Amino acid sequence: MTALNTQSELRERDFDGIICFGGEDWWYHNRGHFDFQIMRRLARHWPVLFVNSLGVRLPTPGTTTQDRRLFAARIARKLKSFGRGLVTIENKFSVLSPLTVPGGAGQKLTAWATGPQIRLAARSLGIRKPLVWVHCPAGVTCLDALNPAAVVLQRTDRFEAFPEGDGALLTAQIAELKRRADLVVYCNQDLLEEERGSVQRSQLIGHGVELDRFVAAGTRRAEPADVASLPRPRVGFIGGIDAHTFDPDLFLAVAGSLPDVSFAMVGGCSLADGWCTLANVHRLGRRPYDQVADYMAAMDALIMPWNRSDWIKACNPVKLKEYLAIGRPVVTTDFPALGAWRSGVVVADTAASFAAALRHVLAEPHDPAAQRRLVATESWDAKAQQLAQALYDLGLRQVQPGAALAA
């Protein structure tokens, strides 16, 4: 799993806390993401400053009503996030929303203004020699200002494939991060192999799942009020409805061919207005992470209608293991990271086969035990322990692999 640059020698390193440049915003993104989950566990032992995403593009108003609405919403939520300042959430886990200007035009300003903001917040938490963890590529602009004891790059998404980002800028930022990172953490084996020769040290750590939360929800079959009124059978998609991951043409063909099935969609949507007008499709919008398991549990089957984008090819969807822990039949298009969990799902790549698979799983009795066995060792606590070993091997001797990072 590791690739060492022969010119790089491991040395013992001291650090007194962690600064994480997250790929999401704590205040409005799904908290099941890798960086949220891992940092919350590390914060049981060290102070962690989670820096909300610095952004990978400068939002523009666009021309359609949907574009303008999304633009206004993004600006409003970013300002609201910034207005919260530095907030301690739990244990030693604190969140900061610094003032930044995304994109190439704001890169120099970000390097000049954001680094001092973050350094000041970190020092207020007792962090002076940080381990710097970078998920959002824009975090590279702040490295020099923070003088890190070590740098870890979280390469769990192919950020340069994000369609709304500046591909050239993101590619350059990621290349610089790979050059400077002491360790690069991957969740996708194919992406790790592709980049093995361009990083000093790599580690594969797949996404985890909050097993207790999702297994318990699947057992009690909770019914949120806005789902309880939907007729059965119900098929659910829980997650972002975005062009770089979701296949709307496939979904519409499937849902249109199953008019007696209720399709419930829980998550934000960035597709154009009017993309779906089917009467049996119910778009419920975003829901807090604490409620996600209950929405999954209220379904008779769950789906992942992914497209074939470069983003999907390099990802490892968090919801796959959440779906399996819930214990409902799962129908998905194929994707590289499906791997060892393939036996717990039904794979269908055409609208006809996808619809037929749904018909079949909805008609047959389902035993969730086999699905749950597949993810029995995939808890976020187990992933945090795996990371602790990787950090110890890196020379961060304050991290003891045998020390429990669980609550």
Side-chain angles (χ1 to χ4, degrees), residues 11-21 39 42 46-51 115 118-134 139 142-153 180-182 391 394-396 398-399:
R11 56 185 174 82
E12 198 161 321
R13 307 159 190 261
D14 294 324
F15 77 104
D16 55 14
I18 301 164
I19 298 174
C20 174
F21 289 90
M39 290 302 129
L42 294 178
W46 302 278
V48 171
L49 176 62
F50 187 95
V51 181
I118 295 168
R119 188 169 61 246
L120 182 62
R123 288 184 175 179
S124 74
L125 301 174
I127 304 173
R128 285 173 170 77
K129 292 190 287 186
L131 164 66
V132 175
W133 180 288
V134 184
C142 299
L143 290 183
D144 290 337
L146 300 176
N147 191 27
V151 176
V152 176
L153 170 60
R180 298 184 64 168
D182 300 282
L391 295 177
L394 191 64
L396 297 164
Q398 299 94 324
V399 183

Side-chain angles (χ1 to χ4, degrees), residues 281-353:
V281 175
H282 307 272
R283 288 169 49 192
L284 306 180
R286 293 178 181 270
R287 291 294 182 270
Y289 176 67
D290 289 348
Q291 299 176 16
V292 164
D294 288 340
Y295 278 92
M296 291 182 183
M299 306 302 162
D300 300 303
L302 294 159
I303 59 172
M304 294 187 292
W306 304 129
N307 58 30
R308 291 176 172 80
S309 69
D310 287 342
W311 184 284
I312 288 296
K313 292 175 184 176
C315 80
N316 186 324
V318 175
K319 69 172 54 59
L320 169 62
K321 293 175 185 177
E322 294 175 346
Y323 279 5
L324 294 175
I326 284 288
R328 302 292 178 267
V330 178
V331 180
T332 180
T333 52
D334 207 351
F335 58 95
L338 194 51
W341 297 276
R342 188 175 295 271
S343 64
V345 305
V346 179
V347 177
D349 281 325
T350 67
S353 62

Side-chain angles (χ1 to χ4, degrees), residues 139-394:
V140 72
T141 62
C142 299
L143 290 183
D144 290 337
L146 300 176
N147 191 27
V151 176
V152 176
L153 170 60
Q154 178 188 325
R155 186 80 164 126
T156 51
D157 296 300
R158 196 190 289 270
F159 258 100
E160 66 272 35
F162 185 55
E164 296 182 27
D166 182 332
L169 175 63
L170 288 167
T171 297
Q173 290 175 334
I174 292 165
E176 177 66 7
L177 282 166
K178 287 194 291 185
R179 186 186 70 81
R180 298 184 64 168
D182 300 282
L183 173 69
V184 183
V185 174
Y186 294 87
C187 71
N188 182 289
Q189 182 71 50
D190 290 349
L191 185 58
L192 183 153
E193 295 298 339
E194 177 186 327
E195 300 185 350
R196 186 185 290 275
S198 63
V199 302
Q200 294 185 50
R201 190 175 182 90
S202 58
Q203 179 72 42
L204 181 70
I205 303 179
H207 283 121
V209 59
E210 290 198 73
L211 281 172
D212 292 345
R213 178 194 298 272
F214 284 86
V215 171
T219 302
R220 67 176 177 266
R221 284 186 175 265
E223 295 249 320
D226 52 354
V227 172
S229 61
L230 300 182
R232 292 185 182 273
R234 301 178 196 139
V235 171
F237 174 80
I238 288 79
I241 307 167
D242 302 304
H244 63 294
T245 56
F246 185 82
D247 188 335
D249 293 334
L250 174 69
F251 173 80
L252 290 172
V254 171
S257 69
L258 301 172
D260 57 321
V261 175
S262 297
F263 286 83
M265 309 188 76
V266 179
C269 178
S270 61
L271 301 183
D273 279 342
W275 75 272
C276 179
T277 58
L278 295 173
N280 63 326
V281 175
H282 307 272
R283 288 169 49 192
L284 306 180
R286 293 178 181 270
R287 291 294 182 270
Y289 176 67
D290 289 348
Q291 299 176 16
V292 164
D294 288 340
Y295 278 92
M296 291 182 183
M299 306 302 162
D300 300 303
L302 294 159
I303 59 172
M304 294 187 292
W306 304 129
N307 58 30
R308 291 176 172 80
S309 69
D310 287 342
W311 184 284
I312 288 296
K313 292 175 184 176
C315 80
N316 186 324
V318 175
K319 69 172 54 59
L320 169 62
K321 293 175 185 177
E322 294 175 346
Y323 279 5
L324 294 175
I326 284 288
R328 302 292 178 267
V330 178
V331 180
T332 180
T333 52
D334 207 351
F335 58 95
L338 194 51
W341 297 276
R342 188 175 295 271
S343 64
V345 305
V346 179
V347 177
D349 281 325
T350 67
S353 62
F354 207 105
L358 277 176
R359 280 286 187 210
H360 177 75
V361 301
L362 289 170
E364 296 295 319
H366 179 70
D367 181 1
Q371 289 175 302
R372 290 173 178 154
R373 282 196 295 271
L374 286 174
V375 294
T377 60
E378 297 297 309
S379 71
W380 281 116
D381 289 340
K383 301 303 178 182
Q385 292 288 3
Q386 189 179 356
L387 175 65
Q389 181 66 60
L391 295 177
Y392 184 83
D393 291 345
L394 191 64

Side-chain angles (χ1 to χ4, degrees), residues 18-28 36 48-55 78-89 92-100 113-125 127 142 146:
I18 301 164
I19 298 174
C20 174
F21 289 90
E24 304 80 29
D25 190 300
W26 173 261
W27 301 114
Y28 58 80
F36 287 147
V48 171
L49 176 62
F50 187 95
V51 181
N52 281 329
S53 177
L54 301 181
K78 182 56 72 174
L79 289 174
K80 184 176 180 180
S81 181
F82 171 68
R84 295 177 187 268
L86 176 64
V87 181
T88 296
I89 305 297
K92 299 177 182 179
F93 180 80
S94 301
V95 174
L96 174 69
S97 298
L99 184 62
T100 64
T114 306
Q117 293 179 63
I118 295 168
R119 188 169 61 246
L120 182 62
R123 288 184 175 179
S124 74
L125 301 174
I127 304 173
C142 299
L146 300 176

